[in-house]
Amino acid sequence: MIPASKFRTAGLAIILAWGWKRAALALAAGALSALAMAPINAWPVLFLTFPVAVWLIDGAGAGRWRGVPAAAMSGFWFGLGYFAAGLYWIGYAFLVDAPTFAWLMPFAVLGLPAYLALFTAAGFALARLLWTRDASRLLALAISLTVTEWLRGHLLSGFPWNSFGYALSEPLALAQDGFADRAMGHDVPHCGDLRQPGGPHRWKLARPKTLARAGGGAGAARRHGRVRRRPAVAAADAVQQGQAAHHAAQFAAGRQIHYAAKAEVMQKYLTLSDRASGPQSTGVRDAQILIWPESAFPFFLTREADAMAQIAELLPKGTVLITGSVRAPDLPAGVRITRAYNSIYVIDHDGNVLQVYDKLHLVPFGEYLPFQDWMEKLGFVQLTRVQGGFIPGTRRRPMEIPDAPRALPLICYEAIFPGDIAARDERPGWIINLTNDGWFGISTGPYQHLQAGAAARRRGGPAYSSCRQHRNFGGHRSVRTYCRTARPRH
């Protein structure tokens, strides 16, 4: 235990710090706070770093204009340390095509955290305006950061990544009681409500060995009977655990692939999909639903008859494939295709396309450029190098899948926006999130993606659901009926 006298002395030293020492303290406290995020999940560190934030705002009162500018600067340095330490992995994406994009890496690794730090600066400044001399100033800081975090998740298409409240999504006891949702300002039914059996939504998980994974994952729930804990656990074993399943997506994301590699890419997916995952497994013949990841094909899938025929030959009767793929827009014959949709297809055993979903929330600088035409004239291009950028979809709605509950499709970081996940009158039976995190290598980024998606789904997901997120760097996880997370199995 730290003696109270030393604790007070440290606090006083921080309050009286000024100039570069004050900036360094804020920067260090922010960087340490990033340890609370996935995959480290050292959430108790916030009990050390947030008192530093409080003392910095206390000390700002010595500055001009009620200390608001000084508090804002402290917030900026705190946010810069936090986001730079937490989002360093974004730089990996600029190394996939290093000759073209590597020079932009410093701007992304430092520029994005600097932009996000402006919201933390605003939060500290607003807190200073509401500041008091007693313990109620902690409430002022909490309210202020809630407001600015909400703004961060909405302005300029939003980027609610590594919200401070996500630190409380990993301890199961806190997440189970919905505390993490309240910490992020969520005012909808939380996980504590989801534990209550009965009511209008009663689910029984799908029978064993009805789901398969190849470079992806799926969870399903069947609307029948009572909620039971044993099937919720068994569902993790019902999914084929093909150990090499993630290699196909790594193959696509980790190197530049062109149309000439079509046969090689397809063969990898076909081989991995029908690979037995254990002595009792018979490959894809055990599966009711087979899932491939976010688009990794170097071609328009449904325009390649031979590829669709291979899929039809692979799938047993009654099995459907859910896969990501780029989709060409409907254009008159002879018109050159320059843009595309980032889509999800549901394909049956006859090779028929049953459902299509086009991604709505595109990634800035990844799938499109702000002021696209103007920036392209200046020579800029987004990471995916699609001229004109990807085309956004028009509507998200649950997909009808044979012999399964309706599924809500999400692609990549769409899963981190809880307000966009589902309309209240279109509640899905389960949620599927296809993503390609191979861009970011073996880093903390894919783990944070999973954490953010899980936290968002606890707000926007249905009452009883099993949600799987494909991660192509070596595993998958399920956000399960009782808001628990199943561990990856390799």
Side-chain angles (χ1 to χ4, degrees):
M1 292 289 292
I2 301 176
S5 60
K6 290 186 177 181
F7 191 74
R8 286 194 295 270
T9 300
L12 184 61
I14 294 172
I15 290 172
L16 296 178
W18 208 255
W20 69 267
K21 291 183 179 180
R22 184 178 183 82
L25 284 168
L27 189 72
L32 285 174
S33 298
L35 296 175
M37 298 296 114
I40 300 174
N41 297 310
W43 57 273
V45 74
L46 298 181
F47 289 101
L48 298 176
T49 59
F50 266 77
V52 173
V54 172
W55 289 328
L56 288 170
I57 300 175
D58 279 338
R64 300 177 181 178
W65 298 306
R66 298 178 56 188
V68 172
M73 285 305 301
S74 296
F76 176 80
W77 289 113
F78 187 96
L80 183 64
Y82 177 68
F83 291 114
L87 299 176
Y88 74 92
W89 47 267
I90 288 177
Y92 282 53
F94 293 83
L95 300 178
V96 173
D97 186 4
T100 303
F101 296 109
W103 69 275
L104 287 169
M105 182 176 169
F107 297 96
V109 173
L110 293 177
L112 178 61
Y115 163 70
L116 297 176
L118 294 176
F119 292 94
T120 314
F124 278 41
L126 178 59
R128 183 63 209 177
L129 286 173
L130 304 174
W131 214 240
T132 62
R133 293 179 178 272
D134 55 30
S136 65
R137 69 192 194 282
L138 303 180
L139 182 60
L141 179 59
I143 292 173
S144 300
L145 288 179
T146 297
V147 171
T148 55
E149 287 291 272
W150 183 90
L151 290 173
R152 179 164 71 90
H154 289 80
L155 291 182
L156 300 180
S157 84
F159 192 65
W161 200 281
N162 280 5
S163 175
F164 294 119
Y166 289 171
L168 302 179
S169 65
E170 181 62 23
L172 297 185
L174 295 179
Q176 184 73 23
D177 290 332
F179 185 41
D181 291 310
R182 292 194 293 274
M184 291 179 281
H186 294 168
D187 56 356
V188 297
H190 50 78
C191 291
D193 301 323
L194 305 188
R195 295 177 299 169
Q196 301 173 12
H201 297 287
R202 294 193 277 184
W203 296 87
K204 174 182 174 183
L205 293 179
R207 62 182 181 276
K209 296 187 178 180
T210 58
L211 304 174
R213 177 177 73 95
R222 193 173 299 277
R223 194 167 190 169
H224 176 72
R226 296 174 300 164
V227 174
R228 294 181 292 182
R229 288 185 179 270
R230 179 59 187 168
V233 175
D237 299 323
V239 180
Q240 282 190 342
Q241 306 294 336
Q243 196 173 71
H246 63 285
H247 290 327
Q250 285 181 322
F251 174 79
R255 53 188 272 204
Q256 294 186 50
I257 294 180
H258 303 287
Y259 184 81
K262 181 182 80 168
E264 187 179 1
V265 172
M266 280 301 300
Q267 190 56 49
K268 277 187 174 287
Y269 278 104
L270 296 171
T271 301
L272 291 172
S273 297
D274 205 24
R275 176 173 173 170
S277 59
Q280 305 300 320
S281 173
T282 59
V284 74
R285 288 174 292 283
D286 288 338
Q288 179 180 335
I289 299 173
L290 175 67
I291 296 183
W292 291 350
E294 182 186 6
S295 70
F297 299 111
F299 51 86
F300 295 116
L301 177 62
T302 57
R303 294 195 172 206
E304 300 292 332
D306 55 340
M308 294 297 288
Q310 287 177 297
I311 290 173
E313 184 178 355
L314 169 72
L315 298 178
K317 186 175 182 179
T319 298
V320 297
L321 169 68
I322 302 177
T323 183
S325 176
V326 289
R327 184 177 76 84
D330 297 325
L331 297 173
V335 177
R336 182 171 175 265
I337 298 171
T338 60
R339 303 181 66 193
Y341 297 94
N342 187 356
S343 304
I344 293 177
Y345 288 109
V346 178
I347 303 172
D348 69 10
H349 63 275
D350 290 323
N352 299 316
V353 176
L354 304 180
Q355 295 279 305
V356 178
Y357 164 69
D358 299 321
K359 185 178 181 181
L360 291 173
H361 208 137
L362 301 178
V363 180
F365 301 100
E367 293 170 316
Y368 77 97
L369 293 173
F371 312 105
Q372 183 87 36
D373 294 340
W374 180 72
M375 293 193 73
E376 285 186 348
K377 288 178 181 178
L378 294 177
F380 291 96
V381 62
Q382 67 268 16
L383 290 172
T384 50
R385 305 188 71 172
V386 176
Q387 183 180 358
F390 277 88
I391 306 170
T394 57
R395 185 188 175 193
R396 179 181 294 110
R397 58 178 178 271
M399 304 176 80
E400 300 291 341
I401 298 175
D403 299 320
R406 295 192 307 165
L408 183 73
L410 300 170
I411 299 176
C412 192
Y413 91 145
E414 287 186 313
I416 72 173
F417 296 94
D420 295 344
I421 284 186
R424 294 186 180 275
D425 58 344
E426 291 189 324
R427 306 298 281 178
W430 57 298
I431 300 172
I432 179 169
N433 177 209
L434 300 189
T435 184
N436 185 342
D437 286 339
W439 289 89
F440 307 111
I442 307 300
S443 68
T444 59
Y447 293 95
Q448 292 172 7
H449 189 182
L450 178 67
Q451 181 186 55
R457 285 191 291 262
R458 273 193 285 269
R459 181 190 181 222
Y464 297 107
S465 67
S466 178
C467 314
R468 283 189 183 273
Q469 178 185 54
H470 162 259
R471 298 183 302 152
N472 58 22
F473 67 99
H476 68 280
R477 279 185 173 182
S478 303
V479 180
R480 310 189 59 69
T481 301
Y482 298 96
C483 295
R484 293 173 293 175
T485 301
R487 291 188 177 276
R489 294 181 55 184
H490 304 285

